[in-house]
């Protein structure tokens, strides 16, 4: 009887293990299919156009600047000597870097070297200095392309009126040639630009915030596409920084230190015995 029960339980156990393996494979296949669906949908969406609708033109002034977003590739066909403008948003606590590459005409069509320059202006059209990068470069007559870059200072949430600190809002990138022989004016070029941003962290945070970001034309009938440039998740307004985490962590550590110090210094917790007769 005991042997029969043991064999029956053994058979039931084997059946349960086989069922578990089958259900496990089914669950794995279902999970794989679910994970593949978004990727397939993304692939279908990306296949419909090149570079996901990246801007393929540039403005010729501040008012007609083409709006682009950070990490978005943009390009423009132009003539040598044109002023090309793009606009992009930079929020408080961010450090932006603009990248520009100019594909030059064939060397046989050029007569001399050319000097190219990229400038960055804030929402008040104040030229901003570059902390890093090469915003100005000379290309030899036989060069096929020239690359420029400019890393701005960290954008502050608030600043004194007399200061030239970069503030959150719309920024403008201007690309042009500054040194060129007259015979080379009007030759076709292709410009490729991109803006990248990094978070500078709480060490660069300041107390205070602007009432509104510096977005020229906002709220007026003359609003341009550049004025509508805004981060996808909205403006931070400078209220958040990693200093909040450090402050909260410091408070917790101070509380733990106080509890530990009390536990070490309170003694046994019983009052000292007073000698009799005193």
């Amino acid at each position: 009887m005991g042997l029969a029960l043991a064999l029956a339980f053994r058979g039931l156990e084997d059946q349960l293990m086989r069922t578990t393996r089958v259900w496990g494979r089914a669950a794995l296949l279902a999970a794989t299919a679910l994970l593949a669906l978004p990727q397939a949908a993304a692939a279908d969406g990306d296949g419909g156009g090149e570079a996901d609708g990246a801007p393929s033109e540039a403005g010729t002034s501040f008012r007609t600047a083409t709006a682009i977003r950070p990490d978005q590739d943009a390009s423009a066909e132009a003539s040598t000597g044109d002023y090309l403008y793009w606009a992009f948003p930079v929020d408080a606590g961010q450090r932006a870097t603009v990248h520009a590459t100019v594909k030059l005409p064939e060397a046989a069509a050029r007569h001399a070297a050319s000097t190219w320059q990229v400038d960055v202006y804030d929402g008040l059209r104040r030229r901003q200095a570059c902390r890093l990068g090469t915003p100005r470069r000379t290309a030899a007559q036989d060069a096929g392309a020239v690359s420029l870059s400019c890393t701005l200072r960290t954008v502050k949430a608030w600043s004194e009126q007399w200061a030239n600190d970069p503030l959150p809002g719309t920024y403008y990138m201007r690309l042009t040639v500054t040194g060129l022989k007259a015979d080379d004016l009007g030759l076709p070029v292709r410009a490729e630009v991109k803006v990248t941003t990094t978070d500078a962290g709480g060490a660069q945070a300041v107390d205070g915030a602007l009432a509104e970001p510096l977005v020229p034309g906002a709220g007026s009938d003359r609003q341009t596409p550049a004025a509508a440039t805004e981060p996808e998740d909205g403006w931070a307004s400078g209220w958040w920084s990693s200093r909040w985490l450090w402050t909260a962590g410091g408070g917790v550590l101070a509380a733990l230190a106080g509890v530990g110090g009390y536990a070490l210094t309170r003694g046994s917790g019983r009052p000292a015995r007073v000698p009799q007769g005193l």
Side-chain angles (χ1 to χ4, degrees):
M1 183 66 178
L3 180 59
L5 288 175
L7 292 175
F9 279 117
R10 182 61 181 270
L12 182 61
E13 182 181 2
D14 293 341
Q15 182 65 28
L16 182 60
M17 292 181 63
R18 285 195 294 272
T19 303
T20 302
R21 285 196 293 267
V22 170
W23 280 105
R25 294 193 187 98
L28 180 60
L29 290 174
T32 303
L34 289 175
L35 290 176
L37 283 176
Q39 297 176 358
D44 293 340
D46 293 342
E50 183 180 358
D52 193 19
S56 58
E57 60 181 9
T60 56
S61 66
F62 286 103
R63 292 185 53 79
T64 61
T66 297
I68 60 175
R69 296 193 177 278
D71 297 322
Q72 183 181 37
D73 294 318
S75 61
E77 303 288 344
S79 298
T80 306
D82 291 344
Y83 283 84
L84 305 180
Y85 288 81
W86 291 268
F88 56 94
V90 186
D91 209 349
Q94 292 182 337
R95 183 178 296 128
T97 301
V98 299
H99 309 266
T101 299
V102 182
K103 303 295 181 63
L104 301 172
E106 294 184 1
R110 307 202 306 267
H111 299 82
S114 57
T115 301
W116 294 82
Q117 182 171 317
V118 61
D119 299 300
V120 182
Y121 299 83
D122 64 7
L124 298 178
R125 300 185 184 180
R126 302 176 301 180
R127 185 175 180 274
Q128 294 295 317
C130 300
R131 293 182 62 253
L132 300 170
T134 307
R136 180 184 176 92
R137 178 169 289 178
T138 299
Q141 180 180 352
D142 58 349
V146 59
S147 296
L148 309 168
S149 65
C150 173
T151 300
L152 302 178
R153 294 173 295 167
T154 303
V155 173
K156 295 185 177 181
W158 178 84
S159 176
E160 297 287 350
Q161 295 182 359
W162 48 263
N164 193 35
D165 296 324
L167 297 170
T170 299
Y171 281 72
Y172 298 90
M173 171 173 45
R174 184 180 72 182
L175 175 65
T176 189
V177 61
T178 59
L180 184 71
K181 193 171 182 179
D183 295 340
D184 291 339
L185 284 173
L187 294 178
V189 294
R190 175 180 173 84
E192 299 175 353
V193 300
K194 186 176 183 179
V195 178
T196 59
T197 58
T198 58
D199 189 359
Q204 300 292 331
V206 297
D207 295 329
L210 293 180
E212 295 290 342
L214 299 179
V215 181
S220 69
D221 295 336
R222 300 192 303 172
Q223 186 175 3
T224 63
T229 302
E230 181 178 343
E232 294 182 355
D233 53 354
W235 298 103
S237 300
W239 71 271
W240 167 259
S241 72
S242 59
R243 292 196 301 175
W244 287 93
L245 299 178
W246 288 101
T247 302
V252 172
L253 291 177
L256 293 176
V259 173
Y262 174 75
L264 291 174
T265 58
R266 65 172 180 163
S268 61
R270 292 181 297 178
R273 181 173 299 176
V274 180
Q276 298 292 333
L278 295 181

